[in-house]
Amino acid sequence: MNKALDLIKKNKEFILYGFFGVCTTIVNIAVYAVSYNVLNISNVISTVIAWIIAVLFAYVTNKIFVFESKSWKADVIVKECISFFGCRFLTGVLDVAIMYVSVDVLHLNNLLFKIISNILVIILNYVASKLIIFKKAEE
């Protein structure tokens, strides 16, 4: 039992990142569904609204629970938000590019490449969050 707890403690950050990643996906889909199906907002605008709210949710949960960034000073929040949204935007563009080239241009399996693309995006987002956005500063 102690080995299992030690393993969980050792990998706490990664486990929480995965858990809140799933929660972020649920937020994204729910906001999209409400925007598109209930509020009758166009597909593209609903997608953008869902992305913005999901990234905000991800920022807050990653800041507080995953990377435990303690500072709430305005300059820190602004820097983190710009970095977080910027990285998410770039990986979002990468996701679209991978899907366009693999499915629309090369006519490869869409689900397989969506999975591959998402794995790459998740890894890049985690690395960016750990090494750039929520980098622990010496106090």
Side-chain angles (χ1 to χ4, degrees), residues 3 17 34 36 39 44 48 50 52 68 78 90 96 104 114:
K3 287 184 180 185
Y17 183 80
V34 169
Y36 186 72
L39 301 175
V44 171
V48 170
I52 290 168
E68 299 175 355
V78 168
L90 291 174
V96 171
D104 294 340
K114 188 61 178 168

Side-chain angles (χ1 to χ4, degrees), residues 46-60:
S46 293
T47 300
V48 170
I49 292 168
W51 181 85
I52 290 168
I53 292 174
V55 172
L56 280 170
F57 176 83
Y59 168 73
V60 171

Side-chain angles (χ1 to χ4, degrees), residues 57-98:
F57 176 83
Y59 168 73
V60 171
T61 56
N62 275 251
K63 176 176 181 59
I64 296 170
F65 301 110
V66 179
F67 298 104
E68 299 175 355
S69 175
K70 304 292 186 201
S71 178
W72 290 96
K73 294 178 184 175
D75 61 324
V76 172
I77 298 294
V78 168
K79 179 185 172 283
E80 286 177 349
C81 282
I82 290 170
S83 298
F84 195 84
F85 272 82
C87 288
R88 291 305 192 271
F89 178 77
L90 291 174
T91 57
V93 169
L94 177 65
D95 182 29
V96 171
I98 289 169

Side-chain angles (χ1 to χ4, degrees), residues 91-118:
T91 57
V93 169
L94 177 65
D95 182 29
V96 171
I98 289 169
M99 292 307 293
Y100 174 75
V101 170
S102 63
V103 177
D104 294 340
V105 175
L106 301 175
H107 306 289
L108 299 172
N109 184 291
N110 65 323
L111 291 178
L112 174 64
F113 278 88
K114 188 61 178 168
I115 291 168
I116 291 168
S117 180
N118 274 282

